[in-house]
Amino acid sequence: MGAKVTYNMEEAVKDADVVMMLRIQLERQKKGLFPSAREYSKFYGLNSKKLALAKKDALVLHPGPLNRGLEMTAEVADSSQAVITEQVTNGVAIRMALLYSMGGGKVNATN
């Protein structure tokens, strides 16, 4: 479908319009399969240097909750490019609407 697979963070971020990070679920990781937090952050964490490879106005997304310093630095998470709070807020509203609709609620724009 035109997607390119890479294991290099810098290559993945280069010229991106959006950088979507995911939460590392440390509680589900087995010690032998997951690198140290320092190693993970070094190779896959988003910091200002890596974000600078993306387009100047690239958005930073993360579904929350954020493990600051692991998935991304606080500097990036608190930057004007990060729209994490908006993403989380909209995600709650979307899930509420889907549950309402799936539960038999009527979808009517005039309500």
Side-chain angles (χ1 to χ4, degrees):
M1 306 231 13
K4 181 181 175 187
V5 176
T6 181
Y7 297 98
N8 180 288
M9 181 74 171
E10 288 83 1
E11 186 179 337
V13 172
K14 186 167 176 47
D15 296 323
D17 295 304
V18 175
V19 180
M20 172 71 175
M21 302 298 292
L22 297 176
R23 183 173 88 83
I24 299 301
Q25 296 180 343
L26 293 172
E27 65 277 9
R28 296 183 184 194
Q29 300 298 323
K30 296 191 177 176
K31 293 185 188 242
L33 300 176
F34 192 79
S36 69
R38 176 181 285 176
E39 185 179 14
Y40 181 87
S41 180
K42 177 182 176 184
F43 289 108
Y44 302 110
L46 185 62
N47 58 32
S48 296
K49 184 178 176 183
K50 290 176 187 169
L51 183 57
L53 298 171
K55 291 184 179 173
K56 185 178 179 182
D57 58 348
L59 296 178
V60 175
L61 298 170
H62 190 290
L66 173 66
N67 293 307
R68 287 175 178 260
L70 184 58
E71 294 127 5
M72 72 179 71
T73 62
E75 180 181 19
V76 171
D78 297 331
S79 73
S80 61
Q81 288 176 267
V83 290
I84 298 165
T85 303
E86 295 88 341
Q87 177 186 0
V88 171
T89 300
N90 291 334
V92 170
I94 288 169
R95 286 190 295 277
M96 288 172 62
L98 287 170
L99 287 170
Y100 177 78
S101 179
M102 290 171 27
K106 294 182 180 180
V107 179
N108 188 343
T110 60
N111 281 352

